[in-house]
């Protein structure tokens, strides 16, 4: 008898709970791709703030555990918390940098207080934020998603190249390993059949790691030292201090992350072919981010955000079940209590970067796919997309261009996602919601057609 299908059992693929042993390989694929982010975030914090080894172990455990809890919450959902889509949660990159900045400028207790305030801000501000979601049509969302993808490529690409000001920048061995990982992933997609083809991203990463071992670029042995069992520590830096002024940069960043969550939620819904209602689903995403950020802050974590890292994996693998990412969350929690987290930190950065470039490039292409449904015969739509992309990509392609502004202002302006969202929303309002529209739009409006409506105007 054939397996039940969406037609016969009435269950959407997102909600299908297949046998766990069939879901685990795909869950491991998500973990392999995403685990480098929390590990690198913790190592960055401990190095920048010169924290002792035992503190590193406690923070690594906390970040992995709350990444897992957040992934479960977003995937499974509880009441109005969690969107019930295949999502994972990770420490925000910009949020981690701001945590370090606040910790260096004041102290760690104040940095933790800023994280807790940010969690509360997420929960309270989303009620107001949801009222402006009607100004985020496919035209605006497509621009945001493209900028998200390119920004992530720019950040993770440095895992291959190294930082521009470091001695390792452009190391041929790292470049070779990054491109070998990309090539292995592509070949897996092309030639592996069935379930193996769907695991191409994980297999490509494993292949890159094996090649890295032959090149002497892995460091698994160096990662074994440390306790056999790790656990998060409540208030690892002492009781939090709440300084609203010091927290302002992080609160401004939270606004940008809400815009990013909007784009990711809509594109995730499109990938899994489930209708997303932004006014209902985006608040569920943001509330879950807020709850996990608030709770994680009590254990020393940086702000946690629902990540786009797995969106490309869902698209590439074709496995849409949200229970895959829920199982990935369980695996993350188990890793957080074990020494395996340190061992995974030995995967060569260039191999992780090669995998990430493929995954995040998929996100950018999905943004292009969204814009393909917009009618660019309307001059207003063309200008909105053009300028939105230009303004959003400037701080991505030229990091530090706003460094001479006050820190709180520079934090917001340096977010390519925030700038693209703000610019595209304003221009969309100017061209498509004003009293007068451009002549092309007026001419078209005299002859409405189902085709133009199906392609989608900016409204």
């Amino acid at each position: 008898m054939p397996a039940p299908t969406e037609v016969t059992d009435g269950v959407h693929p997102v909600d299908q709970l297949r046998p766990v042993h069939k879901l685990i390989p795909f869950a491991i694929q998500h973990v392999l791709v995403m685990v480098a982010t929390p590990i690198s975030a913790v190592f960055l914090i401990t190095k920048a703030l010169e924290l002792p080894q035992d503190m590193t172990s406690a923070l690594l455990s906390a970040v992995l555990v709350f990444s897992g809890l957040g992934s479960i919450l977003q995937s499974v959902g509880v009441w109005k918390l969690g969107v019930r889509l295949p999502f994972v949660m990770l420490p925000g990159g910009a949020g981690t940098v701001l945590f370090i900045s606040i910790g260096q400028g004041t102290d760690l207790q104040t940095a933790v207080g800023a994280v807790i305030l940010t969690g509360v801000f997420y929960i309270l501000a989303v009620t107001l934020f949801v009222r402006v979601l009607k100004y985020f049509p496919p035209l605006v969302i497509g621009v945001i998603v493209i900028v998200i993808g390119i920004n992530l490529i720019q950040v993770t690409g440095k895992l291959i190249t190294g930082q521009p000001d470091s001695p390792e920048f452009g190391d041929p061995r790292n470049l070779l390993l990054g491109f070998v990982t990309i090539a292995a992933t592509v070949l897996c997609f092309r030639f592996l059949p069935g379930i193996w083809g769907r695991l191409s991203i994980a297999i490509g990463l494993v292949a890159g790691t094996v090649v890295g071992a032959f090149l002497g670029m892995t460091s698994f042995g160096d990662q074994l030292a440390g306790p056999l069992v790790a656990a998060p520590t409540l208030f690892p830096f002492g009781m939090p201090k709440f300084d609203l002024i010091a927290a302002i940069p992080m609160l401004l960043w939270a606004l940008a992350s809400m815009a990013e969550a909007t784009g990711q939620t809509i594109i995730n819904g499109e990938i899994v072919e489930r209708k997303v209602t932004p006014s209902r689903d985006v608040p569920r995403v943001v509330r879950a981010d807020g709850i996990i950020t608030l709770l994680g802050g009590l254990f020393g974590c940086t702000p946690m955000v629902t990540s786009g890292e797995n969106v490309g994996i869902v698209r590439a693998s074709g496995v849409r079940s949200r229970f895959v990412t829920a199982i990935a969350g369980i695996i993350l929690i188990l890793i957080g209590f074990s020494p395996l987290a340190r061992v995974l930190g030995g995967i060569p950065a260039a191999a992780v970067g090669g995998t990430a470039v493929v995954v995040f490039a998929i996100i950018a292409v999905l943004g292009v796919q969204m814009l393909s449904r917009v009618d660019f015969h309307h001059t207003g739509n063309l200008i909105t997309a053009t300028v939105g992309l230009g303004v959003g990509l400037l701080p991505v392609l030229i990091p530090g261009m706003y460094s001479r502004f006050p820190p709180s202002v520079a934090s917001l302006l340096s977010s390519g996602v925030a700038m693209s969202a703000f610019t595209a929303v304003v221009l969309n309002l100017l061209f498509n919601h004003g009293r007068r529209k451009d002549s092309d739009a007026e001419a078209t409006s005299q002859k409405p057609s189902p085709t133009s409506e199906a392609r989608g105007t900016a409204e």
Side-chain angles (χ1 to χ4, degrees):
M1 180 179 293
T5 65
E6 181 180 357
V7 176
T8 59
D9 60 21
V11 178
H12 192 283
V14 172
D15 299 319
Q16 288 180 352
L17 179 57
R18 301 179 183 277
V20 173
H21 69 276
K22 292 185 177 180
L23 297 180
I24 286 179
F26 298 104
I28 293 175
Q29 178 170 245
H30 280 280
V31 171
L32 288 174
V33 172
M34 66 185 279
V35 77
T37 298
I39 292 174
S40 60
V42 171
F43 288 168
L44 180 62
I45 291 170
T46 55
K47 182 177 180 180
L49 300 176
E50 300 179 348
L51 300 179
Q53 179 61 38
D54 60 337
M55 189 71 72
T56 300
S57 179
L59 288 181
L60 187 56
S61 174
V63 169
L64 288 169
V65 167
F66 281 98
S67 292
L69 289 173
S71 300
I72 295 171
L73 182 58
Q74 292 290 20
S75 302
V76 177
V78 178
W79 189 53
K80 295 183 179 181
L81 301 176
V83 70
R84 297 180 177 88
L85 287 173
F87 263 135
V88 297
M89 193 177 291
L90 295 171
T96 298
V97 173
L98 290 171
F99 180 90
I100 294 171
S101 177
I102 295 171
Q104 291 174 331
T106 54
D107 52 47
L108 283 169
Q109 294 96 320
T110 303
V112 169
V115 173
I116 295 173
L117 288 173
T118 300
V120 174
F121 180 73
Y122 272 130
I123 298 169
L124 298 179
V126 70
T127 303
L128 178 61
F129 181 76
V130 72
R131 297 183 180 182
V132 302
L133 285 178
K134 62 183 179 180
Y135 301 116
F136 285 76
L139 172 63
V140 174
I141 295 298
V143 169
I144 294 174
V145 171
I146 291 174
V147 174
I148 289 173
I150 294 176
N151 181 59
L152 291 171
I153 292 171
Q154 191 265 354
V155 171
T156 55
K158 292 176 183 175
L159 294 173
I160 301 175
T161 65
Q163 295 294 332
D165 56 352
S166 69
E168 295 80 17
F169 180 69
D171 185 333
R173 292 198 311 163
N174 287 329
L175 297 177
L176 173 63
L177 183 55
F179 290 122
V180 164
T181 304
I182 294 173
T185 303
V186 172
L187 291 175
C188 288
F189 274 120
R190 175 62 181 86
F191 294 108
L192 292 183
I195 188 173
W196 297 107
R198 295 182 175 186
L199 292 170
S200 294
I201 292 172
I203 295 173
L205 177 58
V206 171
T209 303
V210 172
V211 173
F214 282 107
L215 295 175
M217 299 173 65
T218 59
S219 56
F220 293 115
D222 298 337
Q223 309 295 328
L224 293 177
L228 291 177
V229 178
T233 303
L234 183 64
F235 301 133
F237 309 120
M239 291 300 294
K241 298 178 182 177
F242 300 100
D243 184 335
L244 187 58
I245 301 301
I248 285 177
M250 197 174 286
L251 298 178
L252 292 174
W253 165 79
L255 289 172
S257 73
M258 290 184 197
E260 187 168 353
T262 302
Q264 290 173 347
T265 303
I266 292 175
I267 198 67
N268 199 332
E270 291 210 352
I271 289 172
V272 301
E273 298 180 350
R274 162 168 280 181
K275 180 175 175 57
V276 167
T277 303
S279 60
R280 177 197 64 200
D281 294 323
V282 172
R284 290 178 176 175
V285 173
V286 175
R287 288 192 200 104
D289 286 353
I291 289 293
I292 298 299
T293 293
L294 174 59
L295 296 177
L298 301 178
F299 291 86
C301 295
T302 61
M304 308 294 290
V305 295
T306 296
S307 172
E309 295 208 11
N310 72 307
V311 176
I313 302 175
V314 174
R315 176 62 183 85
S317 69
V319 179
R320 294 179 277 177
S321 173
R322 57 192 172 96
F323 296 104
V324 170
T325 46
I327 294 174
I330 295 173
I331 295 173
L332 283 172
I333 294 173
L334 295 176
I335 293 174
F337 284 101
S338 75
L340 185 58
R342 298 192 304 274
V343 175
L344 289 174
I347 297 176
V352 176
T355 299
V357 165
V358 174
V359 171
F360 297 146
I362 290 174
I363 295 175
V365 171
L366 291 172
V368 174
Q369 182 179 339
M370 292 189 73
L371 288 185
S372 70
R373 298 197 295 269
V374 176
D375 186 357
F376 284 111
H377 290 92
H378 290 252
T379 303
N381 292 350
L382 178 65
I383 296 301
T384 298
T386 300
V387 179
L389 283 172
V391 173
L393 289 176
L394 271 175
V396 174
L397 301 176
I398 312 175
M401 64 179 290
Y402 298 113
S403 59
R404 298 180 68 177
F405 284 71
S408 58
V409 177
S411 172
L412 185 60
L413 295 179
S414 297
S415 170
V417 176
M419 294 304 295
S420 64
F422 175 78
T423 304
V425 166
V426 170
L427 291 177
N428 182 55
L429 286 172
L430 177 65
F431 283 104
N432 295 314
H433 291 272
R435 293 180 179 178
R436 296 178 60 189
K437 299 187 178 183
D438 58 58
S439 57
D440 291 339
E442 289 178 350
T444 304
S445 66
Q446 294 175 5
K447 297 181 179 181
S449 68
T451 303
S452 64
E453 291 178 4
R455 292 185 64 187
T457 66
E459 300 177 38

